[in-house]
Amino acid sequence: MSGFLQRIEQLLDHRPVDVARAAAALTHPSYLHQYPDAGGHNQRLEFLGDAVLGLVVAEIMFRRLGEDEGKLTRARSAVVSTSALAGAARRLMLGDLLRMSDAAQRSGDNRRDKVLADAFEAMVALAYEELGLDGARAFVARHLEAEIEAAAEGGAALSNPKSALSEACQERDGKPPEYRLVGRLGPDHDPVHKVVVLWGQEDAVFGEGSGLKAAQMDAAEKAMAQWFGESA
């Protein structure tokens, strides 16, 4: 385990005082199904990390942006979204570090956005527990710098219906929506694409647009309203 803990130390820029807690931060619950005596898993830390992360990002945006509450909310949501956290986790190669069962690894669980986002939040909690709020702030600022800058500048992620729908679906059951092209009408120089978006047991939602991406955006915006009662 020495290499595993050494990598955690590098991510924190700090040698963990509580080794068991540090190991738990990157231990998926499935690992304990296979190795019951291996210690703890990261769900408790993920719970704490979610709260700490929300506070830290809200504080950053409060100090950087104006008084538009809607903009503050959208910026915070963009940074703490499942897809954004999963992206940061991939940069840190947390999926390769995560301890999980052989079956979960074979299923590719260490590549799923929700699993990776949970691991990142657990690391935020570990930074908080080991180094306090200032340590958690430093960890977030260091590893979410690109996402924070994009959100503060009003990046595209703040108004991307596909990103919003993917986040909402994966937070609900860990599975992203599926888009399918179902039609293409009109002349070649100005076609209209028709797509359907599917997810779980929800009713299919159709969208259309001048390009495939535009059609998917249209379907995603309608699905957010139909499935979650929200606008993207």
Side-chain angles (χ1 to χ4, degrees), residues 125-197:
L126 179 63
Y128 175 77
E129 290 287 271
E130 289 279 339
L131 299 164
L133 188 55
D134 285 343
R137 283 194 190 99
F139 182 88
V140 170
R142 185 163 66 249
H143 297 304
L144 283 175
E145 180 180 9
E147 288 77 11
I148 289 169
E149 289 302 319
E153 294 172 8
L158 299 186
S159 58
N160 188 328
K162 282 187 69 178
S163 295
L165 182 64
S166 180
E167 176 190 345
C169 291
Q170 291 191 84
E171 286 185 351
R172 182 73 60 87
D173 73 353
K175 297 178 182 178
E178 178 185 357
Y179 296 87
R180 296 179 185 175
L181 179 65
V182 295
R184 187 175 182 275
L185 305 173
D188 289 341
H189 69 276
D190 189 23
V192 174
H193 292 77
K194 295 192 173 185
V195 303
V196 61
V197 59

Side-chain angles (χ1 to χ4, degrees), residues 2-205:
S2 59
F4 174 73
L5 291 172
Q6 185 177 30
R7 180 58 181 142
I8 293 176
E9 179 180 340
Q10 291 172 347
L11 292 171
L12 287 180
D13 196 22
H14 163 80
R15 176 172 292 182
V17 174
D18 189 329
V19 172
R21 181 173 60 200
L26 291 179
T27 299
H28 189 261
S30 67
Y31 190 74
L32 300 188
H33 297 159
Q34 187 169 339
Y35 304 104
D37 300 325
H41 57 70
N42 64 7
Q43 285 189 333
R44 278 173 54 82
L45 285 168
E46 179 268 326
F47 171 80
L48 176 61
D50 176 68
V52 174
L53 179 63
L55 171 62
V56 169
V57 174
E59 181 184 63
I60 290 171
M61 294 306 167
F62 179 80
R63 302 196 185 288
R64 291 191 57 166
L65 301 180
E67 298 182 359
D68 184 339
E69 184 179 351
K71 186 175 182 180
L72 288 170
T73 299
R74 291 191 299 273
R76 180 188 60 192
S77 296
V79 176
V80 304
S81 70
T82 298
S83 58
L85 300 185
R90 289 189 176 95
R91 290 197 299 271
L92 299 177
M93 301 179 71
L94 297 189
D96 294 335
L97 285 174
L98 266 174
R99 301 193 302 175
M100 57 177 49
S101 70
D102 294 340
Q105 284 194 337
R106 285 194 299 270
S107 297
D109 285 1
N110 63 333
R111 297 190 296 273
R112 287 175 51 200
D113 279 6
K114 183 64 168 63
V115 171
L116 290 170
D118 286 352
F120 188 88
E121 288 178 336
M123 287 298 298
V124 172
L126 179 63
Y128 175 77
E129 290 287 271
E130 289 279 339
L131 299 164
L133 188 55
D134 285 343
R137 283 194 190 99
F139 182 88
V140 170
R142 185 163 66 249
H143 297 304
L144 283 175
E145 180 180 9
E147 288 77 11
I148 289 169
E149 289 302 319
E153 294 172 8
L158 299 186
S159 58
N160 188 328
K162 282 187 69 178
S163 295
L165 182 64
S166 180
E167 176 190 345
C169 291
Q170 291 191 84
E171 286 185 351
R172 182 73 60 87
D173 73 353
K175 297 178 182 178
E178 178 185 357
Y179 296 87
R180 296 179 185 175
L181 179 65
V182 295
R184 187 175 182 275
L185 305 173
D188 289 341
H189 69 276
D190 189 23
V192 174
H193 292 77
K194 295 192 173 185
V195 303
V196 61
V197 59
L198 306 167
W199 176 63
Q201 301 301 312
E202 298 291 341
D203 291 339
V205 176

